[in-house]
């Protein structure tokens, strides 16, 4: 008899996080190290317990992301974007164990004594995860073998060649449709609901639709329409809205330092953290980040008249930090530390207030210090003791997906912008985007696309800053060359006058270029993009184990 081993994170047994099974029957469960076909999948609890093993794979928001992009400049250069990445022998991301476990479930779940509705609900959850796993593999490696059978180590299919990625993604869409159709809208706290499934579908379909469009692959319109439909399902539900108290100067910042996202109208699916049960280290990491935002990212913020800096008479230049952030989109000050920001509330009631950018420290290497998602509460600073909740799916992303997909289809109207982009702008008190008044930014990141698409991309960059989307966005837009711009690895302007305000010991090692912008990497002035980098290489061990696999172009 073959035994199935299941690994489930300890926290999944807590109903407040993810309900793994009914409390009164938990002690009656078969030991996880001895789940076998004849004894398992007998009832709903078994289906739920098995599905729980996949929940740690949910795409949980983290504010230590986007180092691999044009948004941030980590102290240690990203080897992939620096062209230093070599084909590895093994790669932990090239992993099929979850897909094998998904397929095992899908070939056995019908054995459970439960209604078909219940069985389909958990099949929907599991197919949600198969879609997520395959999309993740496809993004990274392109063509990968599609497995839908319950394989073992003797299966000939393990030596199959790669399946065309378009076929794989069509199968992913089928899984997503099943999940949306069969997972209820109202489920136990913490479990995937219909709208979380729709959020993943919208995210994946936007990615696939735009990727096909910009890589000239058939089928882009189909996926863009699916992205619109999935986003609209969420928008029309009436269950979600943007978090706002009317405080345009603080609401965006406060959204990301909440200890209770359950019930927040913007949380389609939150990740809960509870004292002494499950905590995180986010605040501590952000305070010692070893990275900072890039000059290129900061240039993205519009001025308070809704115009880019190159077109606005409100822009005061960047000779001083105060000037650079004056009259800018309020999200800039709620994402990046500026003068007056309370970095830390001490236990004695005193405050650590930022007066000068903390250049020359591990907290602000570029001068543009990360504060989005960082609380000043000392209780959140203690290592691995933070209970700030994270988003898994956030309604703001849904609105951005809707607007972008509509624009890519060439169908975006002012009404579409009003029910998406302009709601985001209302939260921070920015002027509305008006399609007939848009002007092309002379410094636009993507000058080859229509001005509306450029501005929606800007809005996405600013709203979703440091939430882990930027590198994927550059890939799907076929915009890798964006990282070649020198300002994507530069920091703020450190003029001699500003330098003189610091203790010499703090800034002596800070290097600037000829225009006084901070250089983190003193041996290079810009990065070079190679089109092979749109995909990662297949690890050498996999090519050796399966001679029917071929290496990705450029990595041979």
């Amino acid at each position: 008899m073959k035994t199935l081993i299941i690994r489930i994170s300890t926290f999944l047994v807590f109903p407040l996080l993810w309900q793994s099974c009914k409390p009164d029957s938990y002690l009656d469960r078969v030991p996880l190290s001895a789940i076998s076909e004849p004894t398992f999948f007998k009832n709903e609890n078994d289906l739920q317990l098995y599905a729980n093993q996949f929940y740690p794979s949910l795409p949980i928001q983290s504010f230590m992301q986007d180092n691999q992009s044009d948004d941030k400049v980590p102290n240690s250069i990203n080897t992939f974007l620096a062209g230093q990445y070599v084909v590895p022998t093994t790669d932990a991301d090239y992993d099929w164990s979850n897909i094998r476990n998904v397929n095992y479930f899908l070939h056995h779940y019908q054995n459970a004594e439960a209604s078909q509705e219940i069985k389909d609900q958990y099949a929907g959850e599991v197919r949600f995860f198969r879609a997520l796993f395959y999309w993740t593999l496809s993004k990274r490696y392109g063509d990968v073998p599609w497995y839908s059978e319950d394989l073992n180590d003797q299966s000939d299919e393990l030596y199959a060649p790669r399946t065309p990625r378009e076929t794989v993604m069509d199968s992913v869409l089928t899984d997503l449709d099943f999940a949306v159709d069969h997972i209820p809208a109202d489920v136990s706290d913490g479990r995937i609901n219909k709208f979380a499934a729709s959020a993943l579908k919208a995210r994946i379909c936007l990615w696939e639709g735009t990727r096909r469009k910009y890589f000239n692959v058939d089928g882009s319109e189909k996926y863009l329409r699916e992205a619109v439909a999935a986003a609209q399902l969420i928008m029309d539900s009436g269950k979600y809205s943007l978090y706002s108290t009317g405080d345009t100067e603080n609401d965006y910042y406060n959204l990301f330092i909440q200890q209770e996202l359950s019930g927040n109208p913007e949380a389609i699916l939150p990740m809960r953290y509870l004292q002494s049960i499950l905590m995180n280290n986010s605040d501590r990491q952000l305070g010692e980040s070893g990275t900072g935002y890039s000059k290129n990212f900061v240039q993205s913020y519009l001025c308070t008249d809704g115009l880019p800096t190159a077109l606005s008479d409100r822009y005061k230049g960047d000779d001083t930090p105060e000037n650079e952030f004056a009259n800018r989109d309020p999200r800039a000050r709620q994402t990046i530390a500026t003068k007056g920001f309370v970095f830390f509330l001490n236990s004695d009631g005193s405050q650590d207030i930022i007066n000068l950018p903390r250049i020359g420290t591990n907290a602000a290497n570029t001068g543009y210090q990360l504060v989005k998602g960082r609380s000043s509460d000392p209780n959140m600073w203690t290592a691995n003791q933070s209970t700030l909740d994270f988003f898994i799916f956030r309604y703001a992303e849904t609105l951005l997906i809707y607007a972008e997909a509509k624009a890519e289809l060439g169908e975006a109207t002012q009404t579409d912008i009003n029910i998406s982009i302009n709601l985001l702008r209302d939260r921070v008190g920015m002027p509305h985007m008006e399609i007939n008044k848009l002007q092309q930014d002379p410094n636009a990141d993507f000058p080859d696309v229509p001005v509306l698409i450029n501005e929606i991309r800007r809005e996405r960059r600013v709203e979703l800053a440091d939430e882990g989307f930027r590198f994927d966005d550059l890939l799907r837009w076929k915009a890798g060359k964006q990282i070649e711009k020198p300002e994507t690895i530069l920091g703020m302007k450190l003029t001699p006058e500003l330098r003189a305000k610091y203790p010499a010991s703090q800034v002596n090692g800070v290097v600037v270029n000829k225009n006084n912008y901070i250089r983190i990497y003193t041996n290079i002035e810009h990065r070079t993009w190679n089109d092979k980098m749109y995909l990662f290489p297949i690890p050498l061990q996999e090519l050796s184990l399966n001679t029917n696999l071929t290496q990705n172009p450029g990595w041979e």
Side-chain angles (χ1 to χ4, degrees), residues 402-433:
Y402 176 84
E404 185 180 347
K406 279 283 196 174
E408 291 287 3
L409 287 165
E411 299 174 356
T413 66
Q414 188 60 49
T415 297
D416 293 322
I417 298 303
N418 289 342
I419 63 174
S420 56
I421 299 297
N422 286 338
L423 295 181
L424 298 170
R425 293 195 174 188
D426 285 343
R427 169 160 53 194
V428 294
M430 279 291 287
H432 280 187
M433 179 187 290

Side-chain angles (χ1 to χ4, degrees), residues 1-8 29-37 39-40 49:
M1 180 189 305
K2 180 166 55 182
T3 300
L4 177 67
I5 307 299
I6 302 178
R7 298 176 183 174
I8 303 182
R29 296 277 61 80
V30 177
L32 298 184
S33 60
I35 294 176
S36 57
E37 294 177 24
T39 60
F40 209 60
L49 181 60

Side-chain angles (χ1 to χ4, degrees), residues 91-112:
D91 182 350
D93 290 302
Y94 197 86
D95 179 43
W96 299 87
S97 58
N98 275 324
I99 289 173
R100 193 274 169 184
N101 291 341
V102 164
N103 289 337
Y104 181 91
F105 176 94
L106 295 175
H107 280 267
H108 294 89
Y109 78 98
Q110 291 287 8
N111 296 335

Side-chain angles (χ1 to χ4, degrees), residues 9-10 44 53 65 113-114 116-117 121 147 183 226 246 286 292 329 388 399 409 429 459 500 504 511 533 545 552:
S9 296
T10 303
E44 179 182 352
Q53 70 178 294
Q65 301 183 92
E113 294 181 3
Q116 192 60 47
E117 183 179 12
Q121 174 184 340
Y147 300 122
I183 300 176
E226 291 284 359
L286 285 170
D329 184 329
L388 298 180
L399 299 181
L409 287 165
E459 195 76 21
V511 178
M533 293 155 63
L545 290 171
N552 280 325

Side-chain angles (χ1 to χ4, degrees), residues 21-72:
C21 56
K22 293 182 174 64
D24 60 358
S25 59
Y26 179 71
L27 295 178
D28 296 329
R29 296 277 61 80
V30 177
L32 298 184
S33 60
I35 294 176
S36 57
E37 294 177 24
T39 60
F40 209 60
F41 296 125
K42 293 298 184 182
N43 51 44
E44 179 182 352
N45 276 349
D46 290 349
L47 300 176
Q48 188 182 90
L49 181 60
Y50 191 98
N52 282 344
Q53 70 178 294
F54 304 117
Y55 273 72
S57 300
L58 281 166
I60 300 169
Q61 160 209 75
S62 166
F63 297 108
M64 287 301 294
Q65 301 183 92
D66 288 334
N67 277 333
Q68 183 171 298
S69 76
D70 54 343
D71 281 359
K72 290 167 70 178

Side-chain angles (χ1 to χ4, degrees), residues 258-424:
Q258 298 190 17
Q259 296 185 61
E260 178 57 86
L261 282 179
S262 181
N264 185 299
E266 196 158 340
I268 297 174
L269 186 64
M271 177 62 198
R272 297 291 319 288
Y273 291 92
L274 300 174
Q275 188 68 41
S276 302
I277 296 177
L278 180 69
M279 295 170 284
N280 64 69
N281 200 39
S282 179
D283 244 38
R284 186 87 174 191
Q285 289 176 318
L286 285 170
E288 304 170 339
S289 62
T291 189
Y293 290 113
S294 70
K295 181 66 179 178
N296 180 266
F297 171 74
V298 175
Q299 289 172 332
S300 294
Y301 286 101
L302 297 172
C303 292
T304 51
D305 55 6
L307 294 174
T309 57
L311 298 175
S312 175
D313 58 11
R314 296 188 187 181
Y315 182 55
K316 293 187 174 183
D318 61 357
D319 283 343
T320 68
E322 290 79 13
N323 281 350
E324 184 166 20
F325 286 93
N327 303 325
R328 303 292 290 278
D329 184 329
R331 283 172 291 192
R333 289 178 175 270
Q334 297 176 64
T335 301
I336 304 165
T338 52
K339 187 174 182 178
F341 179 82
V342 179
F343 184 70
F344 200 73
L345 292 168
N346 297 307
S347 56
D348 63 3
S350 61
Q351 298 179 341
D352 177 11
I353 299 176
I354 291 177
N355 290 312
L356 283 172
R358 297 193 169 173
I359 295 166
T361 70
N362 206 37
N365 61 348
T366 65
Y368 302 123
Q369 182 175 346
L370 287 58
V371 297
K372 177 178 174 177
R374 189 194 180 282
S375 171
S376 303
D377 182 349
N379 294 317
M380 301 299 105
W381 171 261
T382 306
N384 298 306
Q385 297 292 307
S386 174
T387 53
L388 298 180
D389 285 356
F390 293 159
F391 288 97
I392 298 172
F393 295 110
R394 181 161 78 92
Y395 186 58
E397 182 201 355
T398 297
L399 299 181
L400 288 162
I401 289 171
Y402 176 84
E404 185 180 347
K406 279 283 196 174
E408 291 287 3
L409 287 165
E411 299 174 356
T413 66
Q414 188 60 49
T415 297
D416 293 322
I417 298 303
N418 289 342
I419 63 174
S420 56
I421 299 297
N422 286 338
L423 295 181
L424 298 170

